[in-house]
Amino acid sequence: MPNNYIKKIRKADFERIFVTETLPSEVPLMVSNDGFYQNSKTNGSAGVISNFIFGRLVLGQKRKKYYTIAYAYKIKKSASSFRKLAFVHPISQWEMKEFYEQFEKLICHFCSRSPTTIRAPRKVAGTYFYKNPLENLKKYKHAAVEEMHLDSLMRYSSSYFSYRGYDRLYKFFDSSAYLKLEKNYPYLKTFDVTKCFESLYTHSISWATKEKVFVKHNVTTGGTFGQKFDTLMQRANYNETNGILIGPEISRIFAEIIFQEIDCNSIDALKDKCNYLDSRDYTIRRYVDDVFVFAKTQEIATKVFEIYSDELGKFNLHTNKQKEANYVRPFFTKKSRVVHQINIIINEFTAKFLKKPDETATLVPTEIFHPDRLVKSFIDSIKNVCSVELLPYDEVSSYIISSISNRIKRMINFGDVEVEENSLIYLKDASLVLLEVIFFFYAVAPSVNASYKLCTSIILLSRFAERELSYFSSTIKQKIFELAIELLSGDIAALQSEVDGFIFLEAINVLLAIRDLGDDYMLPVRVIKNLFDGKSGYYHVVSCLFYIRDKPEYEDLRKDIISRIDNALADLGDISINAEKACLLLDALACRFITKTQKAKWIRIFYKGMGETAPSPNEIESFCAEANSRYWFVNWDEVDLLSALEKKELRHAYS
């Protein structure tokens, strides 16, 4: 690989943990820890109030209680179930950073014991490399954003550690290693763990890193790796010992260490009790809590399952009966079969109007004679496959959206060359067709991960049209706008849930993405109200405020949102514990769409909650001038959503 694509990572920069390890990936587009990272590096040069805030809300100075309560929220997991995620309090994030700083080598050690895992930390990342075959897409990023600053954050956006194995499960299924296993073993049994993270007992980490009997008799004596990890995870989760927070990478590492102990115990038990040897009679492969047993006979597969289930039970974990499946070669699931057929349909569909002229990654549009007929024919073909196989759209829509998004990228991936008139028309028509398709499959089965692909396509096509399509630019933007209104006002709105803590990220992300169309394509107030009416959660208010900003047509809505923030911050006595209040205050104080008078009020409430005398008017004035340039989790001014999306989509490879 050329040296210009390999860069060193400064290992001593432990604050990079904030942008890799401590937050869920499923957050609104403009929410990240980038500002937190920057403030942790530059706080020494901040003013009096900024230093006071950092000391109390990050370093946890003079706190009376040594636990925090994460901001918990729920997203859709399926049509009828939800996934609970957690945004960790800044104080607990700082403690996680200190834990990595002390124990990074032991984390790698305890993640290196099992031969079954296909995703585990190997060592602290020392270099990263990234080569983008779609190099020309970078011209669609906003030049106003500091490129060097973003690049420094981009390199840390995947993981603090270098990982062995596969960063996505589908890559394992597509690998030569999987084919070799299928060649060697005729039987496959798959299963997963029921409510894995919710069921993990924090003390289990000590059992997994030291003898259980010893730990039980010495549970009050701190100091070991396992006991400190146990305490860390408890403190971040309201001192709970049953269950760990879902979302942060550190939680997956916590689970991985426990599962590696279960792996090793299972292999030993199978040898001692059944005389079954790993890699001879069977092979286990595990991705987090998904387990795959390859075996010489069905009897061996069943026995491996029984032993593994028994070892899980010793850690208060249990298999999910509904997810058990047995296969005999060839290992081809219904979903795999459908995806294979759909892939053929997608290739045939796009080949009708997108040609690959050479060995580059670019696709070149050709003439489309009947766009509506083409779209309908494609959707009908997908519909037919799903109907025959009795598989709902939910199972395949994300794959389709990802495939279409990749083709959009390849279509607009050309250099600074002048486009002929006919080619402009072809590009316009192809863009419209692809937009129709990608919005359709998102509308019928939206998901958070698919929203990132859709939003990337929206922003890329909008900027591409503005830069390359001349007078067709408004046609593309208007189409995006109309499809977005139809989406946010139509059937997707019915998916809004009244479940406590539910965040409709599938809709919020689309709302944020179409903000990139510009001021001429602002959504009607009724559409925005439909999404945010009566909701005062942290993600709701910052997302709404980020969209409406200081536009006069949203004046009443802005006042309402700020009033909701004001109500949430009326009492800050528990802000050192409550992550939602901490994040909301930090972002509200940095927001330039909120008046100095309002910010001064919150600063005085904060000082009162900390039991301190309020700062002087001059200090508050100085802080307000500084705060607008020291954002935390929402960058109100310069965020480039395309770069934010790229950080979510790219999976850097580490050496």
Side-chain angles (χ1 to χ4, degrees):
M1 177 170 292
N3 288 331
N4 60 312
Y5 290 114
I6 301 176
K7 295 185 180 181
K8 293 285 186 180
I9 289 175
R10 193 161 65 87
K11 292 186 178 182
D13 182 13
F14 290 102
E15 284 80 3
R16 63 193 171 98
I17 290 163
F18 298 139
V19 291
T20 66
E21 309 293 299
T22 58
L23 284 191
S25 60
E26 297 93 342
V27 298
L29 294 186
M30 79 299 177
V31 172
S32 74
N33 258 0
D34 293 357
F36 183 17
Y37 168 84
Q38 289 297 323
N39 289 337
S40 70
K41 304 294 289 183
T42 61
N43 192 64
S45 60
V48 174
I49 295 177
S50 289
N51 274 318
F52 179 79
I53 290 173
F54 192 88
R56 295 302 180 92
L57 295 187
V58 178
L59 301 181
Q61 294 171 351
K62 296 186 179 181
R63 56 177 167 160
K64 297 178 181 178
K65 296 181 179 178
Y66 285 84
Y67 63 81
T68 62
I69 304 172
Y71 168 48
Y73 61 100
K74 296 169 186 165
I75 63 172
K76 285 274 189 181
K77 184 178 181 180
S78 66
S80 58
S81 63
F82 300 87
R83 184 170 178 234
K84 185 178 180 181
L85 300 170
F87 192 120
V88 182
H89 194 291
I91 289 175
S92 287
Q93 292 193 51
W94 189 266
E95 290 180 338
M96 290 171 178
K97 187 267 296 187
E98 292 179 326
F99 180 80
Y100 271 53
E101 194 169 354
Q102 183 179 2
F103 291 117
E104 57 180 22
K105 291 182 180 178
L106 272 180
I107 289 173
C108 294
H109 165 71
F110 284 114
C111 286
S112 66
R113 298 175 298 156
S114 170
T116 75
T117 184
I118 56 175
R119 184 185 186 276
R122 183 169 60 95
K123 64 179 182 179
V124 176
T127 61
Y128 84 103
F129 58 88
Y130 164 57
K131 182 178 180 180
N132 185 3
L134 305 179
E135 185 69 20
N136 290 309
L137 295 185
K138 67 183 181 181
K139 65 185 177 184
Y140 301 118
K141 293 182 181 179
H142 283 156
V145 182
E146 296 179 47
E147 187 173 333
M148 186 178 299
H149 165 64
L150 275 176
D151 180 65
S152 69
L153 292 175
M154 283 287 289
R155 71 184 64 182
Y156 307 137
S157 65
S158 180
S159 175
Y160 179 79
F161 293 104
S162 166
Y163 278 74
R164 60 187 170 106
Y166 305 89
D167 60 356
R168 284 293 182 267
L169 186 54
Y170 78 86
K171 293 182 180 180
F172 168 62
F173 293 134
D174 288 341
S175 69
S176 58
Y178 181 80
L179 289 178
K180 185 176 180 180
L181 287 167
E182 184 172 2
K183 181 176 71 174
N184 292 339
Y185 300 99
Y187 296 92
L188 169 64
K189 185 175 184 66
T190 67
F191 58 95
D192 69 6
V193 177
T194 300
K195 296 183 177 179
C196 172
F197 283 44
E198 296 98 321
S199 302
L200 281 173
Y201 186 45
T202 62
H203 294 335
S204 297
I205 195 70
S206 294
W207 306 345
T209 55
K210 210 164 186 181
E211 287 296 327
K212 183 176 177 180
V213 174
F214 174 84
V215 172
K216 276 188 169 290
H217 287 89
N218 297 273
V219 72
T220 58
T221 61
T224 68
F225 168 82
Q227 288 164 336
K228 286 193 174 183
F229 210 168
D230 177 4
T231 300
L232 176 70
M233 300 305 281
Q234 284 184 51
R235 283 186 175 183
N237 191 26
Y238 205 3
N239 273 350
E240 290 286 343
T241 57
N242 287 322
I244 62 173
L245 299 173
I246 302 174
E249 181 65 21
I250 190 173
S251 293
R252 284 185 281 274
I253 289 174
F254 185 93
E256 179 63 28
I257 292 173
I258 293 171
F259 270 98
Q260 292 220 2
E261 178 72 2
I262 294 169
D263 295 340
C264 294
N265 291 346
S266 299
I267 291 171
D268 291 342
L270 284 162
K271 180 181 179 182
D272 295 340
K273 296 177 181 179
C274 309
N275 197 30
Y276 292 157
L277 295 182
D278 178 41
S279 299
R280 185 193 72 182
D281 303 297
Y282 70 92
T283 292
I284 302 173
R285 289 293 178 262
R286 178 184 52 76
Y287 183 84
V288 191
D289 63 340
D290 289 311
V291 184
F292 307 89
V293 178
F294 299 84
K296 291 293 187 182
T297 68
Q298 186 67 60
E299 180 185 3
I300 293 174
T302 300
K303 184 58 68 174
V304 173
F305 171 71
E306 290 174 357
I307 295 292
Y308 201 96
S309 298
D310 185 53
E311 294 298 331
L312 283 169
K314 295 175 183 178
F315 285 83
N316 196 39
L317 298 171
H318 307 280
T319 60
N320 186 345
K321 297 296 183 183
Q322 295 180 334
K323 293 291 186 70
E324 291 178 27
N326 295 283
Y327 303 95
V328 180
R329 285 189 307 217
F331 303 149
F332 214 48
T333 66
K334 178 191 289 188
K335 182 175 179 180
S336 298
R337 185 167 61 248
V338 171
V339 168
H340 180 73
Q341 293 179 59
I342 285 176
N343 193 48
I344 294 173
I345 294 171
I346 292 173
N347 287 335
E348 290 175 348
F349 162 66
T350 54
K352 293 176 181 177
F353 62 97
L354 292 174
K355 305 299 180 184
K356 191 169 185 282
D358 49 42
E359 295 304 312
T360 67
T362 304
L363 292 174
V364 177
T366 58
E367 187 173 6
I368 301 175
F369 294 100
H370 303 287
D372 293 343
R373 196 179 302 172
L374 181 65
V375 170
K376 186 177 185 307
S377 174
F378 173 64
I379 293 173
D380 285 345
S381 297
I382 300 293
K383 189 184 303 182
N384 180 63
V385 171
C386 291
S387 299
V388 169
E389 298 289 350
L390 300 178
L391 205 67
Y393 279 135
D394 302 61
E395 296 288 336
V396 297
S397 66
S398 289
Y399 178 81
I400 297 170
I401 290 167
S402 179
S403 297
I404 298 301
S405 178
N406 287 335
R407 283 162 174 79
I408 288 172
K409 291 178 182 178
R410 294 174 64 187
M411 182 183 73
I412 67 176
N413 179 50
F414 53 82
D416 295 315
V417 296
E418 189 172 342
V419 183
E420 297 179 358
E421 183 73 20
N422 282 346
S423 296
L424 284 178
I425 296 173
Y426 299 162
L427 283 164
K428 181 260 296 182
D429 288 344
S431 297
L432 295 176
V433 164
L434 293 171
L435 280 168
E436 286 279 6
V437 167
I438 202 170
F439 266 94
F440 174 85
F441 284 102
Y442 188 75
V444 297
S447 69
V448 175
N449 286 334
S451 75
Y452 300 137
K453 300 289 186 181
L454 174 63
C455 292
T456 299
S457 299
I458 288 172
I459 295 172
L460 278 174
L461 281 176
S462 170
R463 296 183 186 179
F464 162 73
E466 195 169 86
R467 181 185 175 100
E468 307 288 355
L469 294 190
S470 184
Y471 45 82
F472 290 131
S473 173
S474 59
T475 304
I476 301 298
K477 288 190 172 186
Q478 184 63 30
K479 186 65 173 180
I480 294 172
F481 183 66
E482 290 172 357
L483 288 169
I485 288 184
E486 182 181 351
L487 176 76
L488 297 175
S489 305
D491 291 340
I492 194 174
L495 298 176
Q496 182 78 282
S497 174
E498 298 306 319
V499 170
D500 289 342
F502 176 70
I503 304 294
F504 200 10
L505 282 184
E506 295 92 334
I508 289 174
N509 283 341
V510 175
L511 174 87
L512 297 172
I514 62 173
R515 186 70 175 79
D516 204 75
L517 294 175
D519 292 345
D520 293 335
Y521 300 91
M522 300 299 292
L523 288 170
V525 173
R526 62 173 176 80
V527 175
I528 303 174
K529 278 189 173 181
N530 189 43
L531 287 175
F532 298 107
D533 194 30
K535 295 178 173 59
S536 300
Y538 167 57
Y539 283 165
H540 286 117
V541 294
V542 295
S543 296
C544 185
L545 194 54
F546 183 87
Y547 182 86
I548 64 177
R549 306 198 179 195
D550 54 358
K551 295 301 172 187
E553 59 265 40
Y554 301 121
E555 179 65 23
D556 290 341
L557 183 54
R558 183 166 46 257
K559 288 180 180 178
D560 179 47
I561 290 294
I562 294 173
S563 175
R564 295 183 212 177
I565 297 174
D566 193 43
N567 289 335
L569 302 180
D571 180 3
L572 297 179
D574 63 343
I575 195 169
S576 294
I577 297 171
N578 189 308
E580 183 173 14
K581 286 186 180 180
C583 296
L584 185 57
L585 176 69
L586 292 170
D587 279 335
L589 291 177
C591 180
R592 62 181 177 86
F593 314 124
I594 298 176
T595 66
K596 291 181 182 179
T597 302
Q598 184 66 72
K599 292 179 183 180
K601 175 185 175 182
W602 292 332
I603 291 169
R604 288 190 288 268
I605 294 174
F606 174 64
Y607 270 75
K608 180 181 178 181
M610 296 294 100
E612 301 287 347
T613 303
S616 68
N618 286 340
E619 288 174 325
I620 292 176
E621 180 70 24
S622 176
F623 168 79
C624 288
E626 174 191 24
N628 286 354
S629 61
R630 289 180 64 86
Y631 72 96
W632 284 85
F633 309 106
V634 176
N635 184 344
W636 299 100
D637 292 310
E638 295 182 340
V639 67
D640 181 0
L641 293 180
L642 190 58
S643 293
L645 283 160
E646 186 179 13
K647 285 169 60 179
K648 288 183 179 296
E649 288 192 42
L650 288 177
R651 295 293 180 262
H652 300 308
Y654 287 76
S655 61

